[in-house]
Amino acid sequence: AERAAAGGDRVMYIGPRKEFFDDLQVLAKQPSWWYAWQSRHGGDGDTGYGATCRWASQISTWMQRGYAAKPFCSNPRICGWQYWHQSCRYHAQERITQPIIFAQYEHIALGHPLLAQMRLIIGDELPIRAFLHPWHIPTTAIVPRGMAPSGPFGLLTRLATLASVPSACWQGPELLAALGGAAHVAQVCADAQIDVTEAFEPDLRDANDAEDVPYFHLPQTLTLLAREAERAVQGLPSISRVRVDPSGLTLLLRRVPRQLPPHVIWLDATANAPLYETLFRRPVTVVRPQVALQGRVRQVWAGLNNKQAMVGAPAKTEHVRAQITRILARGYTRPAYISYKDLVRSLLPAAAESTSAAEVAHFGGSRGTNRLQECDCLIVVGAPQPPTPQLLDMAAMLYHERDEPFNTTWSTRDMPFANQPWAWPIGGFWDDQDLRTLVEQTRESELVQAIHRARPLIRDVDIWLLTNVPLPDLPIDLVSLRDLFDAPEGVDPYRWPELVTLAEARMDAAGLVTTADLVAAGLCQQAAARRYLEAQATQQDWQIVTAP
């Protein structure tokens, strides 16, 4: 970015969150060349930056309901052109002279006042969230107030009626049938193909009127319904992107990038080229150097450790804690942890209760962060994956041109561990390439991203991966539970360390340990006690004696 700026070009650097700018400033050789673009807000307490907009809440409501910002700002009853050009702090940013502008993902899809001036865009990490737009219209706002009772009015009224049915969700063929049939819906949508872009443009008398403006969703609603209805008339199935339930109307939409310069560089170590071509609608050239790890990754493949298996399952979480405790017993002094957002703290053993917030991160919120790079051990628990309905909604928005329904057959396939003669059966939507890509980006890629928060490419650090999901192209050491707990064949690995501790204590105190000692301590039953002692005798070179 600084090299391009030195050559006279303006550059926009796109980051995943506003705090990312601080990391860039640490790395920058010319920090004064950088400017962090401020959104419309009433004052940012985190940065101390003053209010950029005196009507931040009102214009946010206005835009969320489907209207452009410009008519709001230029309205003489609100701000007007003179205030815009002379006093507005938000629009004053358009006159800054720094050659590098730091912005966020949404500016790619929603536009940016300075985007047309940019010669180059550099982006960081996966920006998919900026392109997905699940637009929710409350039930009371489905029919705009003041709408003429003609044309699509009856269709919207019917949608509002369906939304009032308790515990019902209408979509796909059922929704079309409830609206009067596919042919009727297609005809209404075709007849309504007039210039609806200004049909319900509200007239604001002051900024607070924005709280009462109707949702301007008619063009999108008609377009999506028409697509589904026309395919239904032809006897073809389609992806449902219109949903009605007691909460209101939901439209699954997709934003497209606007005013992008000729060249875009995007930094994403787990990027999928076809996915980026879908996002940016242009060819993608992949640059992927192969760099050897300086750190070491060990994978304990005992289980998937998915979130569903651990929620409300004390025995399962206790096993994970036992694994972490055993790992920490190797003498690490600065461990860090990554797992599920609302579970990661509950997985830490008692010895790690004092772990600070700076040493804990969660899937979906750790990409790009450097705050874990000083740890001497990173423990990653589980494998993230959104629920299937959420994945299908993401796919419906991302692949917005697709009408053929997704193949949601869930099956398992043996996936090999990199550089290992072993594989593991992993579930996935293997028969649908689009869904398969999304699962990979939200599961395998997220795991790889988590591993690299410890920066194993540039330093010697230990990483422990507690899941059985194989990761492509990532060299690992496979560790079984028996290896982790130093447990011999035929014993419970989780119970073994406690048994060893008790047996050694009894040997030190009395010179012998008996099966009765193990049973009395509540560690096992009589039948297993002899097996445990025989295993310990083999490991410790103890002598087995049978006594009456």
mmCIF file with all atom_site columns, all heavy atoms in Angstrom, residues 234-248:
data_model
loop_
_atom_site.group_PDB
_atom_site.id
_atom_site.type_symbol
_atom_site.label_atom_id
_atom_site.label_alt_id
_atom_site.label_comp_id
_atom_site.label_asym_id
_atom_site.label_entity_id
_atom_site.label_seq_id
_atom_site.pdbx_PDB_ins_code
_atom_site.Cartn_x
_atom_site.Cartn_y
_atom_site.Cartn_z
_atom_site.occupancy
_atom_site.B_iso_or_equiv
_atom_site.pdbx_formal_charge
_atom_site.auth_seq_id
_atom_site.auth_comp_id
_atom_site.auth_asym_id
_atom_site.auth_atom_id
_atom_site.pdbx_PDB_model_num
ATOM 1   N N   . GLN A 1 234 ? -43.244 -23.180 -15.173 1.00 0.00 ? 234 GLN A N   1
ATOM 2   C CA  . GLN A 1 234 ? -42.584 -24.073 -16.131 1.00 0.00 ? 234 GLN A CA  1
ATOM 3   C C   . GLN A 1 234 ? -42.377 -25.481 -15.566 1.00 0.00 ? 234 GLN A C   1
ATOM 4   O O   . GLN A 1 234 ? -41.800 -26.341 -16.234 1.00 0.00 ? 234 GLN A O   1
ATOM 5   C CB  . GLN A 1 234 ? -41.229 -23.494 -16.521 1.00 0.00 ? 234 GLN A CB  1
ATOM 6   C CG  . GLN A 1 234 ? -41.297 -22.119 -17.168 1.00 0.00 ? 234 GLN A CG  1
ATOM 7   C CD  . GLN A 1 234 ? -39.923 -21.493 -17.336 1.00 0.00 ? 234 GLN A CD  1
ATOM 8   O OE1 . GLN A 1 234 ? -38.929 -22.188 -17.553 1.00 0.00 ? 234 GLN A OE1 1
ATOM 9   N NE2 . GLN A 1 234 ? -39.852 -20.183 -17.223 1.00 0.00 ? 234 GLN A NE2 1
ATOM 10  N N   . GLY A 1 235 ? -42.813 -25.696 -14.339 1.00 0.00 ? 235 GLY A N   1
ATOM 11  C CA  . GLY A 1 235 ? -42.644 -27.004 -13.709 1.00 0.00 ? 235 GLY A CA  1
ATOM 12  C C   . GLY A 1 235 ? -41.255 -27.251 -13.176 1.00 0.00 ? 235 GLY A C   1
ATOM 13  O O   . GLY A 1 235 ? -40.865 -28.412 -12.988 1.00 0.00 ? 235 GLY A O   1
ATOM 14  N N   . LEU A 1 236 ? -40.508 -26.184 -12.911 1.00 0.00 ? 236 LEU A N   1
ATOM 15  C CA  . LEU A 1 236 ? -39.134 -26.311 -12.446 1.00 0.00 ? 236 LEU A CA  1
ATOM 16  C C   . LEU A 1 236 ? -39.037 -25.913 -10.969 1.00 0.00 ? 236 LEU A C   1
ATOM 17  O O   . LEU A 1 236 ? -39.648 -24.928 -10.556 1.00 0.00 ? 236 LEU A O   1
ATOM 18  C CB  . LEU A 1 236 ? -38.201 -25.413 -13.274 1.00 0.00 ? 236 LEU A CB  1
ATOM 19  C CG  . LEU A 1 236 ? -38.137 -25.701 -14.773 1.00 0.00 ? 236 LEU A CG  1
ATOM 20  C CD1 . LEU A 1 236 ? -37.313 -24.623 -15.476 1.00 0.00 ? 236 LEU A CD1 1
ATOM 21  C CD2 . LEU A 1 236 ? -37.539 -27.081 -15.017 1.00 0.00 ? 236 LEU A CD2 1
ATOM 22  N N   . PRO A 1 237 ? -38.270 -26.644 -10.185 1.00 0.00 ? 237 PRO A N   1
ATOM 23  C CA  . PRO A 1 237 ? -38.061 -26.240 -8.786  1.00 0.00 ? 237 PRO A CA  1
ATOM 24  C C   . PRO A 1 237 ? -37.109 -25.047 -8.732  1.00 0.00 ? 237 PRO A C   1
ATOM 25  O O   . PRO A 1 237 ? -36.384 -24.767 -9.690  1.00 0.00 ? 237 PRO A O   1
ATOM 26  C CB  . PRO A 1 237 ? -37.433 -27.483 -8.150  1.00 0.00 ? 237 PRO A CB  1
ATOM 27  C CG  . PRO A 1 237 ? -36.698 -28.138 -9.282  1.00 0.00 ? 237 PRO A CG  1
ATOM 28  C CD  . PRO A 1 237 ? -37.533 -27.888 -10.518 1.00 0.00 ? 237 PRO A CD  1
ATOM 29  N N   . SER A 1 238 ? -37.081 -24.366 -7.601  1.00 0.00 ? 238 SER A N   1
ATOM 30  C CA  . SER A 1 238 ? -36.197 -23.207 -7.467  1.00 0.00 ? 238 SER A CA  1
ATOM 31  C C   . SER A 1 238 ? -35.783 -23.037 -6.015  1.00 0.00 ? 238 SER A C   1
ATOM 32  O O   . SER A 1 238 ? -36.368 -23.637 -5.104  1.00 0.00 ? 238 SER A O   1
ATOM 33  C CB  . SER A 1 238 ? -36.882 -21.934 -7.967  1.00 0.00 ? 238 SER A CB  1
ATOM 34  O OG  . SER A 1 238 ? -38.022 -21.638 -7.180  1.00 0.00 ? 238 SER A OG  1
ATOM 35  N N   . ILE A 1 239 ? -34.765 -22.222 -5.805  1.00 0.00 ? 239 ILE A N   1
ATOM 36  C CA  . ILE A 1 239 ? -34.323 -21.864 -4.459  1.00 0.00 ? 239 ILE A CA  1
ATOM 37  C C   . ILE A 1 239 ? -35.258 -20.794 -3.919  1.00 0.00 ? 239 ILE A C   1
ATOM 38  O O   . ILE A 1 239 ? -35.542 -19.810 -4.592  1.00 0.00 ? 239 ILE A O   1
ATOM 39  C CB  . ILE A 1 239 ? -32.877 -21.343 -4.490  1.00 0.00 ? 239 ILE A CB  1
ATOM 40  C CG1 . ILE A 1 239 ? -31.932 -22.452 -4.962  1.00 0.00 ? 239 ILE A CG1 1
ATOM 41  C CG2 . ILE A 1 239 ? -32.456 -20.822 -3.120  1.00 0.00 ? 239 ILE A CG2 1
ATOM 42  C CD1 . ILE A 1 239 ? -30.514 -21.980 -5.232  1.00 0.00 ? 239 ILE A CD1 1
ATOM 43  N N   . SER A 1 240 ? -35.733 -21.000 -2.705  1.00 0.00 ? 240 SER A N   1
ATOM 44  C CA  . SER A 1 240 ? -36.648 -20.031 -2.104  1.00 0.00 ? 240 SER A CA  1
ATOM 45  C C   . SER A 1 240 ? -35.859 -18.930 -1.412  1.00 0.00 ? 240 SER A C   1
ATOM 46  O O   . SER A 1 240 ? -35.050 -19.197 -0.521  1.00 0.00 ? 240 SER A O   1
ATOM 47  C CB  . SER A 1 240 ? -37.565 -20.729 -1.100  1.00 0.00 ? 240 SER A CB  1
ATOM 48  O OG  . SER A 1 240 ? -38.399 -19.779 -0.466  1.00 0.00 ? 240 SER A OG  1
ATOM 49  N N   . ARG A 1 241 ? -36.093 -17.691 -1.838  1.00 0.00 ? 241 ARG A N   1
ATOM 50  C CA  . ARG A 1 241 ? -35.424 -16.536 -1.242  1.00 0.00 ? 241 ARG A CA  1
ATOM 51  C C   . ARG A 1 241 ? -36.419 -15.562 -0.612  1.00 0.00 ? 241 ARG A C   1
ATOM 52  O O   . ARG A 1 241 ? -36.051 -14.461 -0.228  1.00 0.00 ? 241 ARG A O   1
ATOM 53  C CB  . ARG A 1 241 ? -34.573 -15.824 -2.291  1.00 0.00 ? 241 ARG A CB  1
ATOM 54  C CG  . ARG A 1 241 ? -33.413 -16.680 -2.814  1.00 0.00 ? 241 ARG A CG  1
ATOM 55  C CD  . ARG A 1 241 ? -32.549 -15.934 -3.812  1.00 0.00 ? 241 ARG A CD  1
ATOM 56  N NE  . ARG A 1 241 ? -31.367 -16.701 -4.154  1.00 0.00 ? 241 ARG A NE  1
ATOM 57  C CZ  . ARG A 1 241 ? -31.292 -17.565 -5.170  1.00 0.00 ? 241 ARG A CZ  1
ATOM 58  N NH1 . ARG A 1 241 ? -32.363 -17.768 -5.936  1.00 0.00 ? 241 ARG A NH1 1
ATOM 59  N NH2 . ARG A 1 241 ? -30.169 -18.234 -5.421  1.00 0.00 ? 241 ARG A NH2 1
ATOM 60  N N   . VAL A 1 242 ? -37.669 -15.977 -0.527  1.00 0.00 ? 242 VAL A N   1
ATOM 61  C CA  . VAL A 1 242 ? -38.707 -15.180 0.123   1.00 0.00 ? 242 VAL A CA  1
ATOM 62  C C   . VAL A 1 242 ? -39.320 -16.045 1.212   1.00 0.00 ? 242 VAL A C   1
ATOM 63  O O   . VAL A 1 242 ? -39.749 -17.174 0.951   1.00 0.00 ? 242 VAL A O   1
ATOM 64  C CB  . VAL A 1 242 ? -39.798 -14.731 -0.868  1.00 0.00 ? 242 VAL A CB  1
ATOM 65  C CG1 . VAL A 1 242 ? -40.849 -13.881 -0.161  1.00 0.00 ? 242 VAL A CG1 1
ATOM 66  C CG2 . VAL A 1 242 ? -39.181 -13.966 -2.036  1.00 0.00 ? 242 VAL A CG2 1
ATOM 67  N N   . ARG A 1 243 ? -39.367 -15.512 2.447   1.00 0.00 ? 243 ARG A N   1
ATOM 68  C CA  . ARG A 1 243 ? -39.868 -16.294 3.580   1.00 0.00 ? 243 ARG A CA  1
ATOM 69  C C   . ARG A 1 243 ? -40.776 -15.407 4.418   1.00 0.00 ? 243 ARG A C   1
ATOM 70  O O   . ARG A 1 243 ? -40.447 -14.243 4.687   1.00 0.00 ? 243 ARG A O   1
ATOM 71  C CB  . ARG A 1 243 ? -38.687 -16.803 4.412   1.00 0.00 ? 243 ARG A CB  1
ATOM 72  C CG  . ARG A 1 243 ? -39.071 -17.651 5.612   1.00 0.00 ? 243 ARG A CG  1
ATOM 73  C CD  . ARG A 1 243 ? -37.828 -18.064 6.382   1.00 0.00 ? 243 ARG A CD  1
ATOM 74  N NE  . ARG A 1 243 ? -36.856 -18.711 5.517   1.00 0.00 ? 243 ARG A NE  1
ATOM 75  C CZ  . ARG A 1 243 ? -35.541 -18.498 5.566   1.00 0.00 ? 243 ARG A CZ  1
ATOM 76  N NH1 . ARG A 1 243 ? -35.053 -17.644 6.444   1.00 0.00 ? 243 ARG A NH1 1
ATOM 77  N NH2 . ARG A 1 243 ? -34.731 -19.129 4.749   1.00 0.00 ? 243 ARG A NH2 1
ATOM 78  N N   . VAL A 1 244 ? -41.903 -15.972 4.843   1.00 0.00 ? 244 VAL A N   1
ATOM 79  C CA  . VAL A 1 244 ? -42.848 -15.242 5.683   1.00 0.00 ? 244 VAL A CA  1
ATOM 80  C C   . VAL A 1 244 ? -43.137 -16.088 6.919   1.00 0.00 ? 244 VAL A C   1
ATOM 81  O O   . VAL A 1 244 ? -43.472 -17.270 6.811   1.00 0.00 ? 244 VAL A O   1
ATOM 82  C CB  . VAL A 1 244 ? -44.162 -14.948 4.939   1.00 0.00 ? 244 VAL A CB  1
ATOM 83  C CG1 . VAL A 1 244 ? -45.127 -14.187 5.847   1.00 0.00 ? 244 VAL A CG1 1
ATOM 84  C CG2 . VAL A 1 244 ? -43.903 -14.140 3.678   1.00 0.00 ? 244 VAL A CG2 1
ATOM 85  N N   . ASP A 1 245 ? -42.991 -15.470 8.081   1.00 0.00 ? 245 ASP A N   1
ATOM 86  C CA  . ASP A 1 245 ? -43.318 -16.138 9.339   1.00 0.00 ? 245 ASP A CA  1
ATOM 87  C C   . ASP A 1 245 ? -43.831 -15.073 10.303  1.00 0.00 ? 245 ASP A C   1
ATOM 88  O O   . ASP A 1 245 ? -43.927 -13.895 9.936   1.00 0.00 ? 245 ASP A O   1
ATOM 89  C CB  . ASP A 1 245 ? -42.106 -16.899 9.892   1.00 0.00 ? 245 ASP A CB  1
ATOM 90  C CG  . ASP A 1 245 ? -40.907 -16.000 10.147  1.00 0.00 ? 245 ASP A CG  1
ATOM 91  O OD1 . ASP A 1 245 ? -41.103 -14.825 10.515  1.00 0.00 ? 245 ASP A OD1 1
ATOM 92  O OD2 . ASP A 1 245 ? -39.770 -16.465 9.980   1.00 0.00 ? 245 ASP A OD2 1
ATOM 93  N N   . PRO A 1 246 ? -44.197 -15.445 11.534  1.00 0.00 ? 246 PRO A N   1
ATOM 94  C CA  . PRO A 1 246 ? -44.769 -14.445 12.446  1.00 0.00 ? 246 PRO A CA  1
ATOM 95  C C   . PRO A 1 246 ? -43.881 -13.230 12.732  1.00 0.00 ? 246 PRO A C   1
ATOM 96  O O   . PRO A 1 246 ? -44.373 -12.211 13.209  1.00 0.00 ? 246 PRO A O   1
ATOM 97  C CB  . PRO A 1 246 ? -45.020 -15.257 13.725  1.00 0.00 ? 246 PRO A CB  1
ATOM 98  C CG  . PRO A 1 246 ? -45.273 -16.641 13.229  1.00 0.00 ? 246 PRO A CG  1
ATOM 99  C CD  . PRO A 1 246 ? -44.347 -16.817 12.064  1.00 0.00 ? 246 PRO A CD  1
ATOM 100 N N   . SER A 1 247 ? -42.584 -13.329 12.430  1.00 0.00 ? 247 SER A N   1
ATOM 101 C CA  . SER A 1 247 ? -41.707 -12.168 12.649  1.00 0.00 ? 247 SER A CA  1
ATOM 102 C C   . SER A 1 247 ? -41.760 -11.191 11.486  1.00 0.00 ? 247 SER A C   1
ATOM 103 O O   . SER A 1 247 ? -41.316 -10.051 11.612  1.00 0.00 ? 247 SER A O   1
ATOM 104 C CB  . SER A 1 247 ? -40.263 -12.623 12.870  1.00 0.00 ? 247 SER A CB  1
ATOM 105 O OG  . SER A 1 247 ? -39.715 -13.169 11.682  1.00 0.00 ? 247 SER A OG  1
ATOM 106 N N   . GLY A 1 248 ? -42.285 -11.631 10.337  1.00 0.00 ? 248 GLY A N   1
ATOM 107 C CA  . GLY A 1 248 ? -42.392 -10.736 9.192   1.00 0.00 ? 248 GLY A CA  1
ATOM 108 C C   . GLY A 1 248 ? -41.915 -11.379 7.902   1.00 0.00 ? 248 GLY A C   1
ATOM 109 O O   . GLY A 1 248 ? -41.946 -12.604 7.742   1.00 0.00 ? 248 GLY A O   1
#
